[in-house]
Amino acid sequence: MMKSRLVKGLAVIALVIGVSAGSGPANAGVAVPSDVPTLGLYLVENFQLGSMPSQIFGVGSQSDATSYLMCKSDTEEACVKDRRVFAMDNFDVCKPDSTTSCIQSAWAISPSGQKIEGKYLKTVQDNPKQYIEENAIPQLPASHGIGGIWTFPGVTNSSGGNQFFVGVEARYNGDKAAGDPVSKARLNDEGFVAGIVPVQEIPGNYATLFASDALHGNGAWGSGPDGNTKAPDGTPCVFTDKAFCDVRAQFPAGYRFGMTLNLGFKQSGWFSGRLGLPIISTSDWKGGEQINIEAAPTLVPGLDFSVPNAQIPDAAKKLAFNGTQWGRGGTGAKGWQILGELGDPLMMDFVTAFTDAYKNTATSSDTTWSFKTLVSNDAWGVTKKCGSTLQSYGGLVTTNSLTYSDGPPAFNAATGELKYKVASPHFQADGQVAQGSYDLAIRSEVVRCLYQFSSAPIKASISIQSDDGQTQIATTVVSEKNGWLYLSAKGFTFSSPTIAVKLTQDAPATPAPAATPSPTPVASESPTPAPVATKAPAVAKKITITCVKGKSTKTVTAVKPTCPSGYKKR
């Protein structure tokens, strides 16, 4: 249990340290002592973005975070000696000659439907010591900062300003021969997180992030600040540079936002995210893929609290004090706080177990726009069952629940249902009942392959079952467009409901058997009337016969023709 937990935790170690910026480096994968004075949760969306400068590491052992050692050049011994490398990379804005992953564009859609192209303003933490040039490792994207500040002309966030942070943070793993330079590694795309964050810039003297490892000021690989990370009023900065602090603002009401990414790798698996009513499309781009996602921001709660040891609920103690190594984060002021991936089922368990401690109320509620890849998640077995037809990622699942099932909904072949579990505070930070949202976009080809459906339209119904077994009423929308099936449920409540989607399709209509034609009657020499049809025509039809008498012939045309006296029908 401890080993598997630590391996999974490696993907978030950098994140753990990044959010601990006011209290010095934090430890990753640490067992919580049962006599800890205070304990709580630090579960906040989007803390990944901008939390780790781009950096390449040599990997001695994937299960040992202390063996991840930084490289500053292609031939540095720390990476040359190992057979594996790992990299964190923050995408640059695309250039005309870009061949690896980059941010092509960002835009907003006004309430009236007008598209407003975003304008790149400046890089956050443009530090030459942290540059990664394109192809420094095969298919490793260029990176010259942790993201950028963009504006959307005429679009103002809640601070009264017009600045938005736009960033993509990606992870890569690769193999090579021991002794080979880093550039000979064969990289695998381990996924990315992308987001747009409204911010307010506050000038002053602030910190930049620096990468670290077990040999450079930290217990494991990660990052930390080199100075102040709080605004003058004590508000934590979500992003900093030497001369400014960006504090979080809220998105303007009624606007949708979008992002186009050029990716050096073909994607597979799924996306999850914090998006409302998303619209997505993909196309080929050089050796990889271009992805366009447009959606509304959604209101996501956060939990940042701790309670004295005596007030830790029994259910939370059983989870926290069993020897498992948990990520540790927060600002330090609240003591020991557990943090982890919001899609981790164990984080859902913690949210439920600590309910009484945080009084089922979020400590923050922020409008959020983000999505991330789930590259290795194949919960439906789509790669195995539908691999020949699926040429790109299978779908996108989004919710505003604090924690959620990180992957596609679980498919129950016996019932034909897709089930998705969430857990979140029942109340928003302002005390209002939180209104849940859930959106699912699936490639039509995946649905038809999985269910063995025909090309006929697909029907779907969505039900929300509360944790007490009661079925909630929610507003649901189902549509199919441009090769995607879209499903949406809004207005349900938390704490830990299950969302079930039932997909059906009408059986094709069985055609009525064709009528057997009556045999053609044989003509008679006698003037017998023509047979009456079984279904009378709307207009009587005349026919022509030929009559003979010796060498004389006559033709007679009538509805019921007969030969004259002395003539016989030929």
Side-chain angles (χ1 to χ4, degrees), residues 350-361:
F350 269 118
V351 168
T352 301
F354 267 109
T355 299
D356 291 342
Y358 62 82
K359 303 186 187 312
N360 216 356
T361 301

Side-chain angles (χ1 to χ4, degrees), residues 109-114 253-256:
I109 303 292
S110 72
S112 65
Q114 177 189 4
Y255 281 82
R256 292 169 62 86

Side-chain angles (χ1 to χ4, degrees), residues 163-520:
Q163 293 193 1
F164 296 77
F165 177 90
V166 178
V168 179
E169 181 187 86
R171 301 178 297 278
Y172 298 90
N173 272 302
D175 295 302
K176 65 179 183 63
D180 276 354
V182 177
S183 57
K184 290 190 176 182
R186 295 180 300 173
L187 287 180
N188 296 309
D189 177 14
E190 294 293 320
F192 63 83
V193 56
I196 301 173
V197 184
V199 295
Q200 177 184 6
E201 182 176 298
I202 301 174
N205 295 315
Y206 298 98
T208 56
L209 292 175
F210 61 91
S212 61
D213 60 19
L215 301 181
H216 299 86
N218 195 26
W221 74 269
S223 70
D226 60 6
N228 178 35
T229 60
K230 291 185 178 181
D233 65 357
T235 302
C237 308
V238 289
F239 311 104
T240 60
D241 209 327
K242 282 296 185 184
F244 63 86
C245 156
D246 285 332
V247 297
R248 184 184 296 275
Q250 304 302 319
F251 283 96
Y255 281 82
R256 292 169 62 86
F257 290 80
M259 185 185 292
T260 297
L261 302 180
N262 294 336
L263 303 173
F265 291 87
K266 281 280 189 180
Q267 296 300 301
S268 62
W270 292 75
F271 283 140
S272 69
R274 306 303 201 170
L275 306 170
L277 298 173
I279 299 173
I280 56 185
S281 64
T282 63
S283 60
D284 291 338
W285 178 78
K286 298 185 178 180
E289 185 172 28
Q290 183 177 92
I291 295 179
N292 300 276
I293 295 186
E294 177 195 305
T298 187
L299 188 65
V300 180
L303 286 176
D304 178 5
F305 74 93
S306 63
V307 294
N309 189 294
Q311 297 177 22
I312 302 171
D314 290 340
K317 289 181 178 180
K318 291 180 181 179
L319 286 172
F321 302 152
N322 63 6
T324 300
Q325 296 179 340
W326 303 106
R328 181 179 178 183
T331 61
K334 295 182 176 66
W336 198 307
Q337 292 176 288
I338 291 172
L339 94 165
E341 295 280 2
L342 300 181
D344 186 338
L346 292 172
M347 292 302 108
M348 282 199 285
D349 292 341
F350 269 118
V351 168
T352 301
F354 267 109
T355 299
D356 291 342
Y358 62 82
K359 303 186 187 312
N360 216 356
T361 301
T363 57
S364 63
S365 298
D366 294 304
T367 50
T368 306
W369 194 104
S370 69
F371 64 96
K372 65 178 181 178
T373 51
L374 304 170
V375 175
S376 61
N377 193 307
D378 192 24
W380 291 4
V382 171
T383 302
K384 181 177 180 181
K385 298 176 183 177
C386 310
S388 61
T389 59
L390 181 61
Q391 300 300 316
S392 183
Y393 66 95
L396 165 68
V397 58
T398 75
T399 180
N400 68 342
S401 173
L402 174 58
T403 58
Y404 50 89
S405 303
D406 196 357
F411 174 58
N412 186 324
T415 64
E417 288 184 321
L418 312 175
K419 289 195 173 182
Y420 188 76
K421 188 70 176 174
V422 298
S424 195
H426 185 74
F427 298 101
Q428 296 176 176
D430 61 5
Q432 298 186 44
V433 174
Q435 299 296 306
S437 71
Y438 171 79
D439 289 284
L440 176 63
I442 319 173
R443 285 188 184 273
S444 298
E445 62 183 313
V446 172
V447 176
R448 288 182 164 83
C449 173
L450 201 65
Y451 282 81
Q452 297 184 339
F453 281 168
S454 72
S455 59
I458 297 170
K459 297 180 179 180
S461 61
I462 307 175
S463 63
I464 313 295
Q465 187 174 23
S466 299
D467 41 354
D468 61 3
Q470 299 296 314
T471 299
Q472 297 188 42
I473 297 175
T475 301
T476 60
V477 177
V478 179
S479 64
E480 188 174 10
K481 183 179 180 182
N482 297 330
W484 288 86
L485 180 67
Y486 294 96
L487 305 99
S488 180
K490 310 290 181 187
F492 57 90
T493 59
F494 301 110
S495 298
S496 53
T498 298
I499 303 161
V501 176
K502 178 77 171 181
L503 298 177
T504 58
Q505 188 177 57
D506 290 338
T510 303
T516 303
S518 301
T520 304

Side-chain angles (χ1 to χ4, degrees), residues 80-126:
V80 169
K81 66 182 178 62
D82 293 319
R83 298 179 58 188
R84 293 191 62 83
V85 295
F86 171 73
M88 300 289 291
D89 188 286
N90 298 282
F91 291 178
D92 278 357
V93 175
C94 294
K95 298 179 180 179
D97 59 348
S98 295
T99 60
T100 57
S101 300
C102 53
I103 301 172
Q104 177 65 33
S105 63
W107 68 90
I109 303 292
S110 72
S112 65
Q114 177 189 4
K115 185 173 184 178
I116 304 162
E117 293 290 349
K119 297 183 180 298
Y120 174 74
L121 186 62
K122 61 183 176 182
T123 297
V124 178
Q125 295 195 16
D126 186 350

Side-chain angles (χ1 to χ4, degrees), residues 21-45:
S23 59
N27 295 319
V30 179
V32 183
S34 60
D35 60 350
V36 63
T38 61
L39 184 65
L41 300 176
Y42 184 89
L43 300 177
V44 179
E45 183 58 64

